[in-house]
Amino acid sequence: MKTQVCIVGAGPAGLLLGHLLRAEGIECVVIERRSPDYVLGRIRAGVLERVTVSLMERLGLDARLKAEGLPHDGFNLADGERLVRIDLAGLTGQHVVVYGQTELTRDLMDASEERGLEVIYEVEDVALHDVDGDAPFVTFSKGGAGQRIDCRIIAGCDGFHGPSRRAVPASVGKDYEREYPFGWLGILADVPPCNHELIYANHERGFALASMRSKTRSRYYVDVPLTDRIEDWPDERVWDELAIRLGPEAAAHMTRGPALEKSIAPLRSFVFAPMRHGSLLLCGDAAHIVPPTGAKGLNLAASDVHYAAEALLGFFKRGDADAIAGYSDKALARVWKSERFSWSLTRLMHRFPEDGPFERAMQVAELDYIASSRAAQTSIAENYVGLPV
Ligand code: APR
Ligand code: PHB
């Protein structure tokens, strides 16, 4: 098989890029290790920045997002009894849209067939070859038969564990990594949210987040030691802990219900640089991971895709080889700023096991400063709604 761009991975990054290229008449094929149902079964964050919404609008795939997404003009930081509201709309003139990553992925998947975007699911043994040169190719097997895709560019959109990043020689790429000493236990339930806006809480017992998917479906998190297992957390224990950590006001409005999904995910900050090597571009989780505090993961994948689509258009439509060469620096400039924000909000809102009284005093001082300073709130707000692309 021969195409212009082979996209490895059909998560949001791969599907968004595939649709953008198709819309511009650039040939591409997407290959994905899992089945469509498996991809849709992964529960991830659900807060969209402008960049993500804009890409869906540009593709004309924003109808459901516009109908069902919830625009949020603010969110809250809670510290014990106090609630500090960050007025996103008042401070930045912008908002975020609460719409699950699963739903966005479903919209992109549903449109693949009607728009002729070729996505090959359930492929195995994917390997990237000759990424240094001008004629790279990808091999894989499907139903036991070996296949090969020859192309001009490979887009590695295969997430943190995929093979694309590993195709960059160790002498070229560098990892920047920080692991956190806790994970987030998430619970999804068909109950109305306890508050109309998100609440991120730093309580002496640990972190909690009240989020939602719709007016009838809630998503909550608590941080837990990495040694905890899901069996340690029956639903009632999760609800009890949420009620304490989110504070009495939120607890009074919290409706409990059976978990539709419950899982523990570790937290990590990770950047791989550069994000391009030869004919290989990396996008999304393949190149970087943020801790979920701030909900930047999907939005960063979208901004990478925005820059990658621009680079590929320049390359294929205008013969501009510099467009490809400039991709990594452009994408990384925004990646590092989102990494910084996600890291700093994580630092502010969690009790780290190694923290002493000094570190705690720093958190209290910072929350006090945020509560009293419009400048501090503006800084948080402009990062939360998303920095410009
Ligand atoms: N071959 C083909 N596909 C692969 C391979 C492989 N060897 N390995 C992984 N994949 C697929 C995964 O099955 C997955 O569907 O690549 C896809 C990567 O998708 P995501 O992990 O969702 O990553 P990305 O598209 O970059 O989206 C970033 O997802 O992880 C969240 O928080 C993150 O919200 C952010 C978003
Ligand atoms: C979610 O709704 O799953 C969510 C919201 C905000 C975050 C992380 C996750 O920062």
Side-chain angles (χ1 to χ4, degrees):
M1 202 184 305
K2 199 165 169 34
T3 190
Q4 287 176 300
V5 182
C6 177
I7 300 174
V8 185
L15 290 176
L16 270 173
L17 183 62
H19 278 293
L20 288 168
L21 297 181
R22 270 301 294 142
E24 300 289 347
I26 297 172
E27 282 173 35
C28 58
V29 175
V30 187
I31 56 172
E32 164 61 48
R33 189 160 72 107
R34 304 291 191 175
S35 67
D37 283 348
Y38 186 98
V39 171
L40 288 176
R42 291 189 291 233
I43 308 286
R44 284 173 167 175
V47 178
L48 309 186
E49 293 176 10
R50 183 76 227 147
V51 60
T52 311
V53 174
S54 296
L55 288 179
M56 295 300 278
E57 284 170 357
R58 180 168 148 192
L59 291 168
L61 295 178
D62 58 327
R64 204 158 68 92
L65 192 162
K66 286 279 146 65
E68 296 174 21
L70 305 172
H72 278 209
D73 286 340
F75 73 97
N76 303 278
L77 299 174
D79 179 22
E81 299 299 298
R82 173 174 54 178
L83 209 61
V84 182
R85 179 165 188 266
I86 307 294
D87 178 3
L88 299 172
L91 293 162
T92 69
Q94 295 178 59
H95 59 257
V96 291
V97 178
V98 171
Y99 188 67
Q101 176 170 324
T102 310
E103 301 312 316
L104 183 126
T105 308
R106 190 191 306 279
D107 295 340
L108 292 165
M109 267 184 187
D110 288 351
S112 305
E113 206 165 318
E114 70 203 44
R115 296 192 173 190
L117 172 65
E118 187 175 358
V119 187
I120 309 174
Y121 286 95
E122 296 180 276
V123 302
E124 290 175 295
D125 307 320
V126 173
L128 289 69
H129 308 270
D130 293 353
V131 299
D132 289 340
D134 292 346
F137 62 101
V138 177
T139 54
F140 60 94
S141 59
K142 164 92 187 166
Q147 301 211 31
R148 167 174 169 151
I149 299 180
D150 288 281
C151 56
R152 178 62 191 83
I153 298 286
I154 300 175
C157 303
D158 46 359
F160 184 66
H161 299 287
S164 295
R165 186 174 68 252
R166 290 176 188 90
V168 178
S171 57
V172 174
K174 186 169 161 57
D175 288 354
Y176 299 81
E177 184 159 25
R178 188 198 206 296
E179 284 180 357
Y180 296 86
F182 37 72
W184 275 21
L185 182 152
I187 186 169
L188 186 71
D190 271 335
V191 292
C194 67
N195 190 50
H196 69 289
E197 292 177 343
L198 272 61
I199 305 174
Y200 295 80
N202 176 341
H203 186 272
E204 61 179 337
R205 291 172 66 99
F207 171 83
L209 167 59
S211 180
M212 66 194 75
R213 291 289 175 273
S214 69
K215 295 209 161 114
T216 55
R217 182 169 285 190
S218 301
R219 179 74 169 158
Y220 289 97
Y221 300 89
V222 288
D223 79 326
V224 298
L226 283 169
T227 44
D228 278 16
R229 293 162 318 139
I230 206 71
E231 299 76 47
D232 300 329
W233 286 90
D235 293 0
E236 273 316 303
R237 183 177 173 205
V238 182
W239 293 115
D240 288 345
E241 198 61 33
L242 282 164
I244 297 171
R245 294 187 189 185
L246 288 167
E249 173 74 15
H253 295 97
M254 200 170 79
T255 311
R256 300 177 180 220
L260 301 173
E261 194 264 359
K262 194 166 51 175
S263 55
I264 298 178
L267 269 66
R268 184 197 307 271
S269 293
F270 174 82
V271 178
F272 180 82
M275 286 173 60
R276 179 199 63 102
H277 176 67
S279 297
L280 169 65
L281 308 185
L282 299 175
C283 298
D285 280 14
H288 41 71
I289 298 286
V290 284
T293 334
K296 294 291 167 213
L298 170 60
N299 296 299
L300 259 195
S303 71
D304 289 353
V305 164
H306 167 86
Y307 295 125
E310 221 171 54
L312 293 169
L313 272 176
F315 182 70
F316 286 109
K317 296 277 173 129
R318 299 190 299 276
D320 176 7
D322 292 345
I324 298 286
Y327 165 70
S328 179
D329 284 350
K330 269 197 187 161
L332 278 171
R334 194 167 186 281
V335 166
W336 278 119
K337 293 186 197 100
S338 282
E339 288 281 347
R340 187 209 67 79
F341 178 67
S342 306
W343 161 82
S344 83
L345 198 58
T346 303
R347 190 74 199 77
L348 176 66
M349 298 310 293
H350 293 75
R351 306 284 171 116
F352 286 63
E354 68 269 24
D355 280 1
F358 180 80
E359 285 75 20
R360 177 60 197 145
M362 290 297 96
Q363 288 185 333
V364 172
E366 189 170 343
L367 280 158
D368 254 350
Y369 171 55
I370 294 166
S372 64
S373 161
R374 185 177 170 90
Q377 290 174 17
T378 304
S379 168
I380 292 178
E382 70 180 2
N383 278 281
Y384 198 86
V385 298
L387 296 175
V389 286

